[in-house]
Amino acid sequence: MTHAAGRQSIFITGAASGMGRETARLFNQKGWFVGAFDVDQAGLQALQAELGAENCLALALDVSSKSQYETAVSAFADATEGRMDILFNNAGIAMRGFFDEMPLEDQLRVVQVNLVGVMNGIYTALPLLKATPNALCFTTSSSSATMGMPLIAVYAATKHAVKGLTEALSNEFRRFDVRCADVLPGLIRTGMPSDDLLANAPAGGPFRVIEAIEVAETVWQAYSSDTLHWFVPAELADLDKAAGNTPEILRDKLGKHMTV
């Protein structure tokens, strides 16, 4: 049976690819025990083979299902003797197009994964976080949580919600000595952005293409910090300020570049 043997441990959703996979690799290199969870079972199997079964618990998980989440957390708790140093709510999906042209059912699926999935994770994992000194509840938000961006309206809405939830829980969970933080990535080279988006990205600035390892390194830094919001790249913090101070100007700039 896979067992953490007293090591620090991280529970990662969306671990089969992209930012989640790079985070699993990095924490494995740092000597942590990794819980890797995703709907992509083939990707999980490949990750576990790479990290070693003694270092990685890999299980299928649809984060929108609370019962599946309970099963995953229970298995993780068995492997770590009830320890969870970091919960990394990373799983997410996106749809691109005009709000009025996409089926409502598809957009509600985005809400179920990106927001309800995060809530499922926090509710289910909280007893383990409370039982672990200096635990961190960490969630992937998005640069679209700085300003609602056209053509990904519902995705942006869920990421705004995640950001707000993180801010609120960062105070509520102080009574448990559990920290909360999030990462707001820009254009990351993962399976989510289209090839066209990546190909047409600017060479510099806040929306240049960033490698997934930079987000993984941010998770590592966040564990030893009390910083609430982590922007990747850091220049996105200026966009967040602009959205708060002059949202109309930013809205109009985004509208000029709107293409399907």
Side-chain angles (χ1 to χ4, degrees), residues 12-18 20-21 36-45 47:
I12 306 171
T13 64
S17 63
R21 189 182 190 91
F37 304 89
D38 205 302
V39 293
D40 178 4
Q41 296 188 52
L44 288 177
Q45 290 173 1
L47 177 64

Side-chain angles (χ1 to χ4, degrees), residues 69-111:
Y69 227 125
E70 289 168 349
T71 299
V73 169
S74 178
F76 185 83
D78 288 343
T80 64
E81 298 181 316
R83 179 176 192 138
M84 185 184 291
D85 295 272
I86 301 178
L87 167 65
F88 185 22
N89 293 299
N90 173 65
I93 59 175
M95 292 181 60
R96 184 173 175 83
F98 290 108
F99 173 85
D100 55 290
E101 294 181 358
M102 293 187 290
L104 177 61
E105 293 76 12
D106 292 345
Q107 300 197 62
L108 290 177
R109 177 62 181 162
V110 175
V111 176

Side-chain angles (χ1 to χ4, degrees), residues 8 29 86 117 120 140 144 148 153 155 172 177 211:
Q8 288 180 288
Q29 293 168 9
I86 301 178
N120 283 339
T140 298
S144 66
Y155 176 84
E172 289 191 19
D177 193 31
E211 301 301 328

